[in-house]
Amino acid sequence: MAKSCTLLIHFDKGTPAIANEIKEALEGNDVSAKVDAMKKAIMLLLNGETLPQLFITIVRYVLPSEDHTVQKLLLLYLEIIEKTDAKGRVLPEMILICQNLRNNLQHPNEYIRGVTLRFLCRLNETEIIEPLIPSVLQNLEHRHPFIRRNAILAVMSIYKLPQGDQLLVDAPDMTEKVLSTEQDPSAKRNAFLMLFTCAQERATNYLLTHVDRVSEWGELLQMVVLELICKVCRTNCGEKAKYIKIIIALLNSPSTAVIYECAGTLVSLSSAPSAIKAAANTYCQLLLSQSDNNVKLIVLDRLNELKSSHRDVMVDLIMDVLRALLSPNLDIQRKTLDIVLELITPRNINEVVLLLKKEVVKTQTGELEKNGEYRQMLIQAIHSCAIKFPEVASTVVHLLMDFLGDSNVASAIDVVVFVREIIETNPKLRVSIITRLLDTFYQIRAARVCSCALWIIGEYCLSLSEVESAIATIKQCLGDLPFYSASEEGEATDASKKTPQASSITISSRRPAVLADGTYATQSAASETAFSPPTIVPGSLTSGNLRSLLLTGDFFLGAVVACTLTKLVLRLEEVQPSKVEVNKATTQTLLILVSMLQLGQSHVLPHPIDNDSYDRIVLCMRLLCNTGDEIRKIWLQSCRQSFVKMLSEKQLRETEELKAKAQVSHAQPDDLIDFYHLKSRKGMSQLELEDEVQDDLKRATGEFVKDADDANKLNRILQLTGLSDPVYAEAYVTVHHYDIVLDVTVINRTKETLQNLCLELATMGDLKLVERPQNYTLAPESSKQIKANIKVSSTETGVIFGNIVYETSNVLERTVVVLNDIHIDIMDYISPAVCSDTAFRTMWAEFEWENKVAVNTVIQDEKEFLNHIIKSINMKCLTAPSVLDGECGFLAANLYAKSVFGEDALVNLSIEKQADGKLSGYIRIRSKTQGIALSLGDKITLKQKGGS
């Protein structure tokens, strides 16, 4: 049993207080004991206890107390106890508290008067309030502002009661008089709020009468003025212009809260470019002046909304927005870059890229611990700029190539991917990029970056000098051959048997050997053999070049080296006229490949070479020994053509995503279109003229009706009761970011009046009812709209259940109508999203929750099953369509979605067609939270068979 209270109090159900103990404490003279007893009584009442025996005790022993804490707790107690009987009549004993309340309203202490007036704001019983009205009105003229401001709120609450206009007939007149004479900002604000709520026309007249002094009013009053302007302009659009002038005047207010609200109000009321620009300038000003990161993030959200609807205006402010990068917070920097990247035009691209370059250089010298992540974001932003505007690539590509050896591997991968794309899309930069890449290749430390850089070298070294330089660079990074000697292998094996945990062994000489656990030892000169001692390129053990990476057992990289050298030798045959030089290069390459195979099959490494890498290296050796024209064409042309095709598909996907984001709106056939040039312009300001033009454009393009999706609304209506029930109910469910709104329509289908009709709801899962809907009286065959708010704390499937309870005049017992359950689907919380392959793999490795679902379906086509899963779980397929082309009997695809809480949902689908035509395999779901993984798994299990 829930009861409303203005104060949230923690209640420990493990130690319930006994009513007799509370009663004894209240009867005593110890004030602290009384305070504790009152707190226990309030907690018990809020959790369903009635405690009727305490009322008289509290009247006798607590009402006379002068202690402020006791008096405050007394008012809380009086707020939550039942004051009426089952028929809605005030209980006789409530008369006992009326005299006490009247005394409090005339108390010499200002605090007692103030909290009592505030308490009256929460009373709904006319019989209790009516005798107190004269005392309330006297407090309107009290000398202390704390009492006056609470007295005005009490007058407003009384006037808003069902019979309040009869209890206080001249309340608006009195409030208007108070407003004209009041000097206290809070009291003045409350008086204006009372007029705004109860007599809007008077509030409007007062505002227009004092329009020249609005900028001098206090912050609190200005906020209510903005709220009034919004309400008036929505009901009467014709008067919008004179109010917008007030808003623009308030933009110069010293209060940041006021100018923030001004900007939001201006955007909601006007589409004129000058108004939007004023609002955007205000947001940019707040972005720079506020130090609180939460405020910055909220302002960036507002700027993002402006960017979506008024991009042309925002383009001019792009440099102001970029100044938010000065904040060290990564979330602010990321959001800023996301906004800026969609505002880039040929006019501002050079300025933007110049600033981004400066920020990249700053990350080299800065001491912030997250510089690596920030640099990665900047590199990705520059990459996007260079793809959209290829002419700027030449100004940034060489700067970014300095970061190929970055300690932040993700940042280095972004750079090398950027270089790979730019060298294909900007042929003029090919020579300079290759030269710079060969110069900086030895600095690369990460195997994945090395692999991509080697691919670039193999594909884009075209001239004789470039090919020869590339072969020499790779040979230098590999060092002298062989990678180990036979005697070293034997000694290393013996040493590892003796000291398997040793990290280093020093014997007598400086010749290194690789132990079985991958560590290094120096070998004695006494074990010299016919093999020449292997000398490692200086710095190879620390700089992360090819030799040290191979000696850690990375034979995938070895296979990439083999392919790159093979391509370079094949191209050398085309550009080198001397057969001797070609044969020499071929022989040296074969020697390197054989040495890698020997290393892979030796015992100096803990793991032997894998079969795929072995087969790849052997294939390269065969090609070098016997090359045909068809094979040469595949190696030197087809690979690059596939890359070009991949880039074009990526560009096509990005274009389709932009089209999908674009707002498509259509005008209705009978919509009114006003012709701006034929209108009278007398007395219209420039802002009004601009607004008229924007409204005409919106009307012509149908933007005013783009949200009217009636069919979709009908799909979200759920029937809660049967058609034969005395009370029919249906709910329209709206899922917002962090809450669910149930708009329940209740219809009385009987010929009787239903009293105390209440919608009782309960939840299961991570859902929580915010407030209990109040009781209503429903006339025969009438309907009522009841709203219920439910908070959502995580992305899990939840259930809302409950019933409708009511009474009739003929039957004393309460009637209960049980409602159908409302299942809140996870699909309401997640939406398709896009991320890079690198980000997907990183998240896949980090996320700890995995749900593995076996494929069990009647669908026999792989692509049809994939499309069915995508549609069922509302996710985006990250795997390119070209990768899924063809019929090979198996399919693997990655799916991605994001929840409204910012959680990531990753899905990998791997299926294979069996001999009998059925599909088998697994769908693996990974997420950071358990809720998404389990809920998505349940959804897939339910839907995968091909059901609806």
Side-chain angles (χ1 to χ4, degrees):
M1 181 177 176
K3 294 187 180 182
S4 60
C5 180
T6 53
L7 184 69
L8 289 175
I9 304 174
H10 171 71
F11 177 64
D12 186 2
K13 292 184 179 178
T15 57
I18 301 171
N20 291 335
E21 294 177 2
I22 297 173
K23 190 175 179 181
E24 288 175 9
L26 292 175
E27 290 173 351
N29 296 322
D30 187 357
V31 174
S32 60
K34 279 189 180 181
V35 169
D36 290 338
M38 286 297 293
K39 286 180 180 179
K40 289 176 183 176
I42 290 169
M43 287 190 284
L44 287 170
L45 285 166
L46 285 174
N47 285 272
E49 301 291 336
T50 53
L51 305 179
Q53 65 272 35
L54 287 183
F55 182 77
I56 298 301
T57 304
I58 287 173
V59 169
R60 288 182 62 192
Y61 296 100
V62 179
L63 279 184
S65 174
E66 293 291 328
D67 184 76
H68 289 181
T69 306
V70 172
Q71 284 296 321
K72 190 170 183 179
L73 290 169
L74 171 64
L75 293 175
L76 280 173
Y77 169 80
L78 295 177
E79 181 184 341
I80 59 176
I81 61 171
E82 292 289 346
K83 304 173 194 65
T84 56
D85 58 18
K87 295 184 178 179
R89 292 175 297 195
V90 174
L91 295 171
E93 55 266 30
M94 287 300 115
I95 303 302
L96 295 172
I97 68 169
C98 282
Q99 184 59 41
N100 174 261
L101 292 175
R102 186 186 293 110
N103 293 340
N104 282 356
L105 290 174
Q106 298 169 358
H107 200 282
N109 184 280
E110 289 88 355
Y111 176 78
I112 298 293
R113 283 201 190 198
V115 293
T116 307
L117 286 164
R118 181 61 66 90
F119 166 70
L120 294 182
C121 297
R122 299 187 285 271
L123 276 185
N124 298 318
E125 289 73 26
T126 309
E127 292 88 341
I128 300 175
I129 291 174
E130 190 171 4
L132 304 175
I133 289 177
S135 301
V136 172
L137 296 179
Q138 286 176 7
N139 284 306
L140 286 173
E141 299 175 357
H142 195 275
R143 60 179 179 79
H144 202 287
F146 176 69
I147 295 175
R148 294 200 303 274
R149 71 179 71 136
N150 283 297
I152 295 167
L153 289 176
V155 168
M156 181 174 72
S157 300
I158 295 169
Y159 193 77
K160 285 165 66 177
L161 291 173
Q163 300 175 356
D165 53 347
Q166 298 173 14
L167 295 174
L168 283 171
V169 180
D170 55 348
D173 292 326
M174 287 188 294
T175 308
E176 194 169 6
K177 183 180 176 183
V178 168
L179 184 59
S180 60
T181 58
E182 184 60 62
Q183 298 300 316
D184 179 65
S186 295
K188 200 165 186 175
R189 174 258 182 195
N190 290 352
F192 190 82
L193 180 64
M194 191 274 170
L195 290 180
F196 164 43
T197 309
C198 305
Q200 186 175 312
E201 192 174 342
R202 288 175 183 264
T204 306
N205 291 336
Y206 180 83
L207 174 61
L208 296 177
T209 306
H210 300 81
V211 69
D212 297 330
R213 300 181 58 191
V214 173
S215 56
E216 301 171 9
W217 291 350
E219 174 188 345
L220 297 173
L221 184 53
Q222 287 176 344
M223 296 287 276
V224 181
V225 166
L226 290 171
E227 196 176 342
L228 171 67
I229 289 173
C230 272
K231 188 174 181 182
V232 171
C233 290
R234 287 197 179 102
T235 54
N236 188 0
C237 296
E239 298 182 2
K240 190 163 57 174
K242 56 187 175 185
Y243 291 109
I244 286 180
K245 291 175 185 175
I246 299 174
I247 298 171
I248 291 176
L250 287 176
L251 283 174
N252 299 318
S253 170
S255 166
T256 51
V258 171
I259 62 173
Y260 173 79
E261 287 298 327
C262 277
T265 307
L266 204 54
V267 171
S268 65
L269 297 182
S270 176
S271 302
S274 55
I276 299 301
K277 191 167 186 177
N281 278 322
T282 302
Y283 285 139
C284 291
Q285 177 189 336
L286 288 171
L287 195 59
L288 298 175
S289 62
Q290 297 302 302
S291 57
D292 191 325
N293 288 339
N294 292 318
V295 174
K296 286 179 183 282
L297 288 169
I298 291 168
V299 172
L300 283 170
D301 284 336
R302 301 291 83 77
L303 286 170
N304 193 36
E305 290 168 6
L306 279 184
K307 176 210 68 183
S308 303
S309 52
H310 303 281
R311 185 178 182 275
D312 295 339
V313 176
M314 287 295 298
V315 163
D316 297 331
L317 300 171
I318 188 169
M319 299 309 294
D320 293 326
V321 177
L322 270 172
R323 289 167 71 185
L325 291 177
L326 296 172
S327 169
N329 184 276
L330 280 178
D331 292 327
I332 293 171
Q333 292 166 339
R334 184 179 294 108
K335 195 164 281 193
T336 302
L337 289 173
D338 289 342
I339 293 171
V340 166
L341 287 177
E342 294 189 32
L343 297 176
I344 296 172
T345 64
R347 284 188 301 147
N348 59 32
I349 181 65
N350 291 323
E351 289 180 279
V352 172
V353 169
L354 183 63
L355 190 143
L356 293 178
K357 282 168 62 179
K358 288 179 180 177
E359 289 295 312
V360 170
V361 173
K362 277 186 196 175
T363 61
Q364 289 179 286
T365 56
E367 297 179 356
L368 294 175
E369 58 183 55
K370 294 190 176 179
N371 265 349
E373 291 180 55
Y374 180 39
R375 188 186 308 126
Q376 185 183 357
M377 285 193 289
L378 290 169
I379 290 167
Q380 290 170 349
I382 293 172
H383 185 177
S384 300
C385 294
I387 297 304
K388 289 180 183 176
F389 301 95
E391 62 272 13
V392 302
S394 59
T395 63
V396 293
V397 67
H398 297 105
L399 170 69
L400 295 185
M401 288 180 75
D402 290 336
F403 296 99
L404 284 172
D406 196 348
S407 56
N408 184 352
V409 177
S411 177
I413 290 172
D414 286 334
V415 171
V416 79
V417 169
F418 169 65
V419 171
R420 184 181 67 178
E421 195 162 341
I422 291 302
I423 200 171
E424 173 58 41
T425 54
N426 291 263
K428 294 178 182 177
L429 299 176
R430 186 191 64 79
V431 176
S432 61
I433 289 176
I434 285 295
T435 305
R436 188 65 180 272
L437 182 59
L438 292 175
D439 289 343
T440 57
F441 186 78
Y442 73 93
Q443 299 175 353
I444 299 174
R445 305 177 183 181
R448 289 183 61 188
V449 182
C450 269
S451 301
C452 194
L454 286 167
W455 185 88
I456 296 170
I457 291 170
E459 289 296 332
Y460 295 97
C461 286
L462 304 179
S463 67
L464 177 60
S465 60
E466 289 170 352
V467 172
E468 289 177 341
S469 179
I471 293 174
T473 300
I474 294 173
K475 282 173 61 181
Q476 183 184 1
C477 289
L478 286 170
D480 292 341
L481 300 177
F483 293 106
Y484 78 102
S485 67
S487 59
E488 285 171 355
E489 180 183 358
E491 290 198 10
T493 306
D494 294 340
S496 65
K497 288 178 182 176
K498 293 176 184 177
T499 55
Q501 301 299 323
S503 60
S504 63
I505 304 172
T506 303
I507 302 175
S508 63
S509 182
R510 292 191 176 276
R511 196 168 71 190
V514 183
L515 300 182
D517 61 353
T519 57
Y520 295 91
T522 54
Q523 177 162 332
S524 171
S527 60
E528 290 286 345
T529 66
F531 289 118
S532 59
T535 57
I536 295 172
V537 178
S540 62
L541 294 177
T542 57
S543 64
N545 57 19
L546 291 179
R547 187 180 186 91
S548 61
L549 289 170
L550 280 175
L551 291 175
T552 60
D554 189 345
F555 286 101
F556 175 78
L557 178 61
V560 175
V561 171
C563 293
T564 303
L565 286 172
T566 303
K567 285 181 186 177
L568 291 172
V569 171
L570 292 177
R571 189 159 282 119
L572 187 65
E573 292 177 7
E574 295 181 350
V575 297
Q576 173 61 267
S578 172
K579 294 293 181 185
V580 176
E581 294 295 328
V582 173
N583 290 337
K584 183 180 177 182
T586 305
T587 306
Q588 291 174 344
T589 302
L590 285 169
L591 183 60
I592 291 170
L593 302 189
V594 170
S595 297
M596 281 195 286
L597 290 179
Q598 279 186 331
L599 178 66
Q601 294 175 336
S602 69
H603 297 290
V604 296
L605 297 180
H607 303 291
I609 186 171
D610 58 282
N611 292 334
D612 289 340
S613 300
Y614 179 86
D615 292 342
R616 192 74 171 162
I617 295 172
V618 170
L619 175 64
C620 292
M621 294 170 63
R622 288 177 179 168
L623 284 175
L624 291 172
C625 296
N626 184 15
T627 308
D629 292 338
E630 288 297 322
I631 298 295
R632 184 185 300 276
K633 184 178 177 183
I634 290 171
W635 278 70
L636 297 182
Q637 296 178 22
S638 300
C639 189
R640 187 168 169 183
Q641 289 169 0
S642 299
F643 178 60
V644 172
K645 185 180 177 184
M646 186 191 85
L647 287 181
S648 61
E649 286 181 353
K650 178 185 173 188
Q651 192 173 4
L652 183 65
R653 281 204 309 272
E654 289 174 354
T655 308
E656 288 175 353
E657 285 167 13
L658 287 174
K659 286 181 181 176
K661 285 181 183 177
Q663 296 178 349
V664 180
S665 51
H666 304 284
Q668 297 300 318
D670 55 350
D671 278 356
L672 176 67
I673 298 177
D674 293 324
F675 289 92
Y676 162 68
H677 293 288
L678 301 180
K679 279 187 173 182
S680 170
R681 304 187 191 181
K682 272 188 178 180
M684 293 180 75
S685 65
Q686 181 61 30
L687 187 65
E688 289 175 272
L689 292 172
E690 289 179 14
D691 230 6
E692 288 287 340
V693 174
Q694 293 299 319
D695 287 352
D696 290 346
L697 287 173
K698 285 184 178 180
R699 205 171 280 113
T701 57
E703 193 172 330
F704 282 147
V705 295
K706 67 177 183 290
D707 291 329
D709 191 1
D710 295 331
N712 188 38
K713 286 184 178 180
L714 288 172
N715 291 335
R716 303 185 72 83
I717 292 178
L718 302 172
Q719 184 178 334
L720 300 181
T721 62
L723 295 173
S724 59
D725 285 323
V727 175
Y728 176 77
E730 62 183 21
Y732 173 63
V733 183
T734 308
V735 178
H736 294 293
H737 277 212
Y738 293 97
D739 59 348
I740 300 167
V741 178
L742 294 182
D743 196 348
V744 183
T745 303
V746 180
I747 302 173
N748 179 4
R749 303 181 68 237
T750 67
K751 302 291 184 183
E752 298 178 331
T753 299
L754 305 183
Q755 298 174 348
N756 293 328
L757 183 141
C758 180
L759 175 67
E760 295 181 347
L761 296 174
T763 59
M764 189 168 65
D766 281 346
L767 306 173
K768 184 168 181 62
L769 194 64
V770 176
E771 57 186 354
R772 183 169 175 249
Q774 65 186 73
N775 292 357
Y776 299 95
T777 300
L778 211 55
E781 298 182 351
S782 64
S783 63
K784 184 73 181 175
Q785 298 286 119
I786 303 174
K787 285 197 174 183
N789 291 310
I790 294 167
K791 282 289 175 192
V792 184
S793 56
S794 72
T795 315
E796 287 188 30
T797 302
V799 181
I800 304 170
F801 54 94
N803 47 52
I804 292 176
V805 182
Y806 63 90
E807 300 170 354
T808 58
S809 55
N810 299 334
V811 183
L812 294 177
E813 293 182 0
R814 307 192 80 186
T815 307
V816 179
V817 178
V818 180
L819 305 178
N820 288 333
D821 294 347
I822 301 173
H823 292 267
I824 303 303
D825 198 348
I826 185 176
M827 295 301 107
D828 293 323
Y829 303 127
I830 68 171
S831 56
V834 179
C835 73
S836 64
D837 289 341
T838 307
F840 186 92
R841 290 192 184 98
T842 304
M843 289 188 286
W844 188 268
E846 290 175 355
F847 290 173
E848 56 184 12
W849 290 103
E850 178 175 304
N851 191 0
K852 193 173 182 181
V853 179
V855 172
N856 180 18
T857 180
V858 295
I859 300 172
Q860 296 192 346
D861 182 75
E862 303 99 307
K863 291 178 193 168
E864 183 186 345
F865 181 69
L866 172 64
N867 293 331
H868 175 69
I869 292 295
I870 291 171
K871 184 180 177 182
S872 300
I873 59 177
N874 195 27
M875 298 187 83
K876 173 79 175 175
C877 182
L878 299 182
T879 308
S882 58
V883 178
L884 302 174
D885 283 347
E887 299 291 336
C888 57
F890 62 87
L891 182 146
N894 292 332
L895 312 181
Y896 179 65
K898 220 171 174 59
S899 78
V900 295
F901 305 103
E903 301 163 318
D904 301 286
L906 313 178
V907 172
N908 173 261
L909 182 142
S910 300
I911 52 176
E912 182 181 3
K913 184 174 265 191
Q914 301 293 328
D916 57 0
K918 292 183 179 179
L919 297 180
S920 66
Y922 291 96
I923 302 169
R924 296 165 70 195
I925 307 146
R926 284 199 184 182
S927 66
K928 193 174 280 188
T929 57
Q930 184 183 18
I932 291 184
L934 293 177
S935 300
L936 270 180
D938 295 341
K939 191 77 177 176
I940 290 171
T941 304
L942 181 68
K943 296 277 187 178
Q944 68 169 324
K945 290 191 176 182
S948 58

